[in-house]
């Protein structure tokens, strides 16, 4: 292509409400791996299965996009980033600071610049993506950006803990939306993930979602 381009694809099949089903859904229920924080009952297994079906469809969407880049001859000249903006939409996951809420998939491809098939440890944040992409493009990173480039990790051929300084992360939650928190009232939680996860709830007296009326 003559000019640089940026394309964002927001795949939504794994987002509620789920629209896709497996034709043999009932037969597949026994195959579902239920996270230990959830009750292992048919209703949960069915909900998880429909979530996984959405993820499968999103994977197919990503495959079509990669095939299109390859057909254009731009695949190896394009940084492909696959990630998510939150954890799975289940209790103790999305809108919470436990692992199921803040740990997200991250896979990056950049031709022969990034060694394929590596599994890298170390914490990164979505805020780190912008400075990483700017540095890769040779553009100065604005001082206002709070994220930190991890291009050194991408360009390394090592696995495991490539950058020893990426050994902890801080996460936070205030509110999910103005609808669930009328008047801008938040639900302030902070977490620090290092060897162990520490979560601090500053207002446990508040409802985490909509403030329900008291009887």
């Amino acid at each position: 292509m003559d000019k640089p381009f940026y394309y964002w694809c927001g795949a939504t099949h794994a987002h509620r409400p789920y629209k896709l089903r497996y034709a043999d859904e009932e037969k597949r229920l026994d195959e579902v791996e239920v996270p230990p924080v959830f009750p292992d009952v048919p209703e949960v297994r069915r909900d998880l299965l429909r979530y996984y079906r959405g993820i499968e469809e999103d994977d197919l969407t990503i495959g079509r996009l990669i095939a299109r880049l390859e057909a254009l001859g731009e695949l190896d000249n394009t940084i492909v980033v696959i990630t998510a903006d939150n954890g799975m939409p289940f209790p103790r996951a999305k809108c919470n600071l436990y692992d199921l809420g803040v740990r997200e998939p991250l896979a990056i491809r950049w031709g022969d610049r990034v060694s394929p098939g590596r599994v890298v440890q170390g914490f990164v944040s979505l805020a780190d993506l912008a400075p990483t992409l700017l540095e890769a493009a040779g553009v100065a990173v604005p001082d206002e950006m709070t994220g930190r480039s991890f291009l050194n990790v991408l360009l390394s051929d090592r696995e495991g803990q490539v950058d020893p300084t990426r050994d902890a992360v801080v996460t936070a939650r205030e509110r999910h939306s103005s609808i669930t928190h009328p008047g801008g009232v938040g639900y302030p939680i902070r977490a620090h993930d290092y060897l162990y996860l520490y979560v601090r709830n500053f207002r446990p007296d508040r409802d985490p979602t909509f403030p329900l009326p008291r009887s």
Side-chain angles (χ1 to χ4, degrees), residues 140-147:
V141 178
D143 293 336
E144 294 80 4
M145 283 191 170
T146 57

Side-chain angles (χ1 to χ4, degrees), residues 59-72:
D59 285 345
L60 294 173
T61 299
I62 293 168
R64 288 190 287 268
L65 291 172
I66 290 177
R68 179 59 176 163
L69 283 171
E70 189 170 27
L72 292 172

Side-chain angles (χ1 to χ4, degrees), residues 91-102:
R92 200 182 169 87
K94 183 178 179 179
C95 300
N96 285 280
L97 302 186
Y98 302 112
D99 285 354
L100 288 178
V102 297

Side-chain angles (χ1 to χ4, degrees), residues 3 11 23 26 31 37 53 58 65 69-70 75 91 101 104 109-111 114 124 138 150 159 199-200:
K3 296 180 180 180
E26 295 303 316
E31 303 173 5
V37 297
R53 176 66 183 90
D58 287 342
L65 291 172
L69 283 171
E70 189 170 27
L75 179 58
E104 301 152 11
R109 186 190 193 281
W110 188 13
V114 174
V124 298
F150 57 90
E159 290 192 293
V199 180
R200 175 76 180 272

